[in-house]
Amino acid sequence: MNLPIERRIQLGELHLYAREWLPSQEAGDKPAFLLYHGLSSNAATWDMVAADLAHAGYHVFAVDQRGHGLSDKPDDGYDFATVARDVYKVVEFLKLENVVLAGQSWGGNVLLEVAARFPGLAVGYIFVDGGFLNLHQRGSWESVSVELRPPDLTGIPIDEIKSMIQSMQPGWTAEAVNGSAKNFEVLPDGTVRPWLSLDHHMAILRALYNQDVPSLFPKVQEPVLICAADDGHEWSSRKREQVAAAQENIPEVSVRWFADTAHDIHVDKPHELSALMQDFAVSHLSHSGTN
C-alpha cells in the first residue's frame, strides 16, 4: 500500500499535522484531494481512501484539525470562522490551486462553512455524512449537550479500546480499527486519553449547534457530492430530511446513500467511497485550474 509522508503545516503560530500521499502515476490535470476528519477523530481514518486515490494517480493530503491528533491544541479557535480560516490557510500553504475538499461529519460542516466563506477555493466539495448536520433538530442545547457528551475513556488500555471498536464494528479490518484508535494518545503505561480535550470537544459541539446550516447552502458555488450513511437507526429518517434540505438548496449537488453503513463511511466502506470520489473528480475536471 502507498504509505503516507508525515508533514507539518505552519499557519503562523499554529502547527497542524498532515499526512501526504504522492500519486503512484503522473497526476496530469487531476485535482488534488484534501481530506478532513470529524469531531474527536484524526487524519489516519482517511488512510484507506487516500491510498486508493493515490494509486489512481491523485495527490492526497489529510489533516489533523486544531485540537486533534498530532496538531497543536490552542485554548481557543474552535468556532467555525476560525476552523474555516484554517482550511483556507492550509490550501494556501500547500499551494493547491486545483483541489477537491472532502470532510466527514463535523469536517463536512467545516467545509460547508469554507465553501460559503471562500468561493473559488476548491473545484468541488465532498460531504461524507456531514455538511448537512443541523443539531438544532435534536432539541435544546441543554439536551443535546448531555446526549452528545463523549464518554470518559481516559485510563483504558489501548488494546481494550481496539477491542471496543472491533466489537462495535465487527466487519472492520485491523487497519480500520487501528486508524480509529489513533483518536487517542497512548500513554507510557499503555492506557489512553483522547487527543481532543473535553473542553475543546464541547466548544466544537456548541459551535456545531449554533451553526446556521440552512443559510449556508445557497452560498455554495462549487459542485457538491453528499455521501450519506443509512445505518437503519431511527436518526436516519431525520438525516434524510437534512440531506433533502441540502439537496434542495445547494445549487449543484448530487447525493449517494450508503445502506447498512456506519457514520464513518470512509472507514467502513473506503473502497466504495474512493471510487465515488474519483468519479466526482473526473466529472468536474472542467471546473479545475492548474495544479
Side-chain angles (χ1 to χ4, degrees), residues 32-184:
F33 279 95
L34 180 56
L35 313 177
Y36 281 86
H37 60 76
L39 178 57
S40 287
S41 188
N42 80 99
T45 57
W46 281 103
D47 278 6
M48 293 178 288
V49 170
D52 279 0
L53 294 173
H55 182 73
Y58 293 91
H59 196 175
V60 187
F61 301 85
V63 179
D64 279 341
Q65 299 201 64
R66 66 167 61 212
H68 293 76
L70 300 177
S71 288
D72 285 354
K73 298 164 180 61
D75 293 334
D76 54 16
Y78 298 95
D79 57 286
F80 274 101
T82 303
V83 294
R85 175 64 64 172
D86 287 347
V87 176
Y88 178 90
K89 290 180 179 179
V90 168
V91 172
E92 189 175 53
F93 180 89
L94 295 173
K95 296 180 173 59
L96 300 177
E97 298 178 1
N98 178 23
V99 62
V100 174
L101 296 177
Q104 189 265 341
S105 191
W106 165 64
N109 279 55
V110 170
L111 296 187
L112 173 65
E113 192 83 28
V114 170
R117 289 175 178 266
F118 305 111
L121 182 67
V123 297
Y125 290 86
I126 301 174
F127 299 156
V128 181
D129 221 35
F132 52 80
L133 302 176
N134 187 350
L135 292 190
H136 268 281
Q137 293 187 353
R138 297 186 83 115
S140 67
W141 166 246
E142 288 72 23
S143 64
V144 168
S145 64
V146 172
E147 179 187 359
L148 299 184
R149 183 184 179 91
D152 184 6
L153 302 177
T154 301
I156 296 177
I158 183 61
D159 289 341
E160 188 174 335
I161 291 289
K162 291 180 179 180
S163 295
M164 291 168 59
I165 297 171
Q166 191 74 78
S167 65
M168 289 187 291
Q169 302 292 345
W172 282 13
T173 64
E175 184 177 4
V177 171
N178 290 337
S180 294
K182 289 181 180 178
N183 296 342
F184 301 91

